[in-house]
Amino acid sequence: MSLSSALSIAQSSLLATSKQTSIVSRNVADASNPDYARRTAVITSTAPGARSVEIQRAANDLLFRQNLSALSAWSGQSALYNGMDQLDLAVNGVDNASSPSTAIANLQNALQLYATTPSNQNLGASVIDAAKDVVRSLNDGATAIQDFRTQTDRQIATAVDDLNSLLSQFQDANKSVISGTRSGTDVSDALDQRDALLKKIAEYVPVSTFTRGDNDMVITTNDGTTLFETVPRSVSFTPSAGYTAGTPGNTIYIDNVPVSAGTGGNTSAVGKLAGLITLRDSVAATMQSQLDETARGLISAFAETAPSQTDAAGLFTWSGAPAVPAAGTLVNGLAGSISVNTAMDPSAGGDPALLRDGGANGAAYILNTSGSSYSDLLIAYGDRLDQPMVFDAAAGITTTSSVSDYAANAIGWFEGVRQQASTTADAKEALATRTAEALSNDTGVNVDQEMSLLLDLEHTYQASARMMKTVDDMLSALLDAVG
């Protein structure tokens, strides 16, 4: 081997080692970055004594896709569970203190106390106050639900804007990958950026990908709707200014295809957008229907009856009074419009004794002819609260129940769905975490291994440096001999 060849080999080795060291140092510096994939510097011989360094980026498509799927599932479940926590507090209060069920139980107690001493009008006034608390609970609950739906609508609008922004950023990253691939330059950083954006996109909608020539990526949703192909597809949504009971929410469209909502506590909603739709149009809407049915049951339970007369709204009234709502038929918005009959409300000039005697709808409905000790009607009202009646199946719970049990069942339904949502959220979070860890273990940086490699490179560098020193010494000796 000539001295010039030996010198060339030593120089090539030093340059290759320098590049390898640079890659290892970059790996160590980004070891804590979850979106960074490990780089490996591979030495390739291009000619006798010449070497080049090719940078390879660690990747595992199977694990990456599993992680995307897990992220989407967790995001949808998390949106549902967190929203249900807010909704429960807004409607039922802490420990259900402001729930209709609690207020109805207090009304029953007040009614029973009044029935024991029907001549005591202070107790009668207490019943009216308890009835007002029931009305307030239903009115406030209905308002809270519709406000919640409006707020959720705004969250959907913000999420849609965020998703469109991410798709625009993805387009730029994808162009960088394509351009670098075509020119033969290293695209590792661009691929890292593209994968990081893809994980963020998966939090909003479930995604599936495939890669075409020049590393060009196409994104579709899990139902096959195209989300990105060369350019982003439009994700559109028009928020509503406000909601009323029974009003459906507007649809989210991806490339003119509607996004479907999920069902159940272990929601089939995948991605944040579907989770928010489920909250707005399923959970909150069902809760509203249950409040409306509770209100209808109360109006029916306290309706005034009389021989040869049509039943008429008594203690509780509504916009359709004096008629009583049809049995077993949901009236949208009834919980928001129910009120205490002013004829019995002393603060409005009414007489609480009408609850004891009857007659809020005229003399034909007066049942008390025996004086102030009459308690039959009060006892009858208390019994009606515990007697089965028919409820609309559209409200999502039992169709035959007493009013008091129905209000309690509504809380039970909500708590059951929320508990299931909580348990499943934990499970889906754990799966997302495990798949992320598996992906990191396979494609991420192990600092110990990198430091060990760095020591090996140091030894290689020292060997190349010694070779150059030896060549230098030999050249010096040769020149001295010639001189």
Side-chain angles (χ1 to χ4, degrees):
M1 179 186 296
S2 67
L3 291 179
S4 60
S5 296
L7 183 61
S8 175
I9 291 172
Q11 288 176 331
S12 176
S13 177
L14 284 174
L15 288 173
T17 303
S18 176
K19 290 182 180 179
Q20 286 179 293
T21 302
S22 175
I23 295 300
V24 172
S25 298
R26 174 74 187 280
N27 285 342
V28 173
D30 283 307
S32 60
N33 183 355
D35 297 320
Y36 179 82
R38 183 182 68 257
R39 311 308 198 242
T40 303
V42 180
I43 303 298
T44 304
S45 296
T46 57
R51 294 180 177 183
S52 65
V53 177
E54 177 184 345
I55 299 174
Q56 295 181 355
R57 175 178 176 270
N60 187 317
D61 289 341
L62 178 59
L63 284 176
F64 185 66
R65 287 172 181 163
Q66 289 177 342
N67 184 231
L68 292 179
S69 177
L71 283 172
S72 295
W74 177 33
S75 181
Q77 190 71 44
S78 179
L80 176 65
Y81 173 62
N82 292 335
M84 290 189 71
D85 264 358
Q86 299 172 21
L87 185 59
D88 183 40
L89 187 61
V91 176
N92 295 322
V94 178
D95 295 330
N96 299 317
S98 58
S99 69
S101 178
T102 300
I104 290 172
N106 293 337
L107 174 61
Q108 285 182 294
N109 292 334
L111 195 61
Q112 290 170 1
L113 190 59
Y114 187 26
T116 61
T117 314
S119 60
N120 188 334
Q121 287 306 296
N122 289 330
L123 295 178
S126 295
V127 174
I128 303 303
D129 287 341
K132 287 181 179 179
D133 287 341
V134 172
V135 166
R136 188 179 301 110
S137 176
L138 290 167
N139 292 168
D140 291 350
T143 299
I145 288 173
Q146 300 313 318
D147 286 347
F148 176 83
R149 295 185 72 203
T150 302
Q151 293 168 10
T152 304
D153 223 43
R154 293 172 186 154
Q155 292 180 40
I156 293 173
T158 300
V160 167
D161 289 342
D162 291 344
L163 178 56
N164 281 318
S165 176
L166 288 170
L167 289 171
S168 178
Q169 295 173 52
F170 185 89
Q171 180 182 16
D172 294 338
N174 193 57
K175 286 180 178 178
S176 297
V177 171
I178 295 172
S179 175
T181 301
R182 287 174 178 171
S183 64
T185 58
D186 178 32
V187 294
S188 297
D189 288 345
L191 287 171
D192 279 352
Q193 182 186 11
R194 192 173 71 175
D195 283 356
L197 288 168
L198 197 55
K199 285 191 280 188
K200 292 179 180 178
I201 291 169
E203 293 180 10
Y204 291 89
V205 288
V207 297
S208 179
T209 66
F210 64 91
T211 305
R212 304 185 293 195
D214 295 330
N215 267 328
D216 181 21
M217 182 172 282
V218 176
I219 309 175
T220 63
T221 62
N222 61 354
D223 62 359
T225 303
T226 301
L227 193 61
F228 178 90
E229 184 178 8
T230 306
V231 295
R233 299 303 168 90
S234 173
V235 183
S236 59
F237 173 72
T238 303
S240 298
Y243 279 92
T244 58
T247 303
N250 289 333
T251 302
I252 304 170
Y253 292 95
I254 297 177
D255 200 23
N256 295 318
V257 178
V259 175
S260 301
T263 57
N266 180 6
T267 183
S268 57
V270 183
K272 184 176 182 179
L273 292 183
L276 291 174
I277 296 174
T278 303
L279 265 178
R280 184 194 65 185
D281 295 340
S282 179
V283 176
T286 299
M287 201 173 184
Q288 176 68 56
S289 296
Q290 292 168 2
L291 290 185
D292 290 339
E293 278 294 82
T294 300
R296 186 185 60 77
L298 286 167
I299 294 171
S300 298
F302 283 90
E304 288 196 328
T305 60
S308 304
Q309 299 291 327
T310 302
D311 290 356
L315 174 60
F316 296 103
T317 188
W318 63 304
S319 58
V324 176
T329 303
L330 175 67
V331 179
N332 286 320
L334 187 56
S337 64
I338 189 174
S339 61
V340 171
N341 197 330
T342 55
M344 299 181 185
D345 184 2
S347 66
D351 182 6
L354 291 175
L355 180 64
R356 178 194 65 194
D357 302 333
N361 291 284
Y365 290 88
I366 296 175
L367 298 183
N368 177 21
T369 58
S370 59
S372 61
S373 62
Y374 180 77
S375 62
D376 291 359
L377 192 53
L378 298 174
I379 294 172
Y381 286 139
D383 290 342
R384 287 186 201 173
L385 287 174
D386 290 325
Q387 289 174 353
M389 63 175 65
V390 178
F391 292 93
D392 197 322
I397 51 178
T398 180
T399 56
T400 304
S401 173
S402 67
V403 178
S404 56
D405 285 345
Y406 189 86
N409 288 338
I411 292 177
W413 171 85
F414 186 88
E415 291 300 330
V417 175
R418 188 174 69 159
Q419 180 59 45
Q420 186 181 31
S422 173
T423 302
T424 310
D426 290 341
K428 290 181 179 179
E429 180 183 11
L431 180 59
T433 301
R434 284 196 297 269
T435 56
E437 289 175 350
L439 181 63
S440 177
N441 290 337
D442 191 65
T443 65
V445 176
N446 184 312
V447 175
D448 292 339
Q449 290 179 356
E450 297 298 319
M451 295 305 294
S452 176
L453 179 58
L454 197 59
L455 288 174
D456 292 340
L457 291 172
E458 182 182 354
H459 295 154
T460 302
Y461 187 90
Q462 291 172 347
S464 299
R466 283 196 298 270
M467 179 180 286
M468 290 192 70
K469 178 65 169 56
T470 300
V471 171
D472 181 63
D473 291 342
M474 294 176 70
L475 284 173
S476 296
L478 180 60
L479 291 173
D480 289 343
V482 172

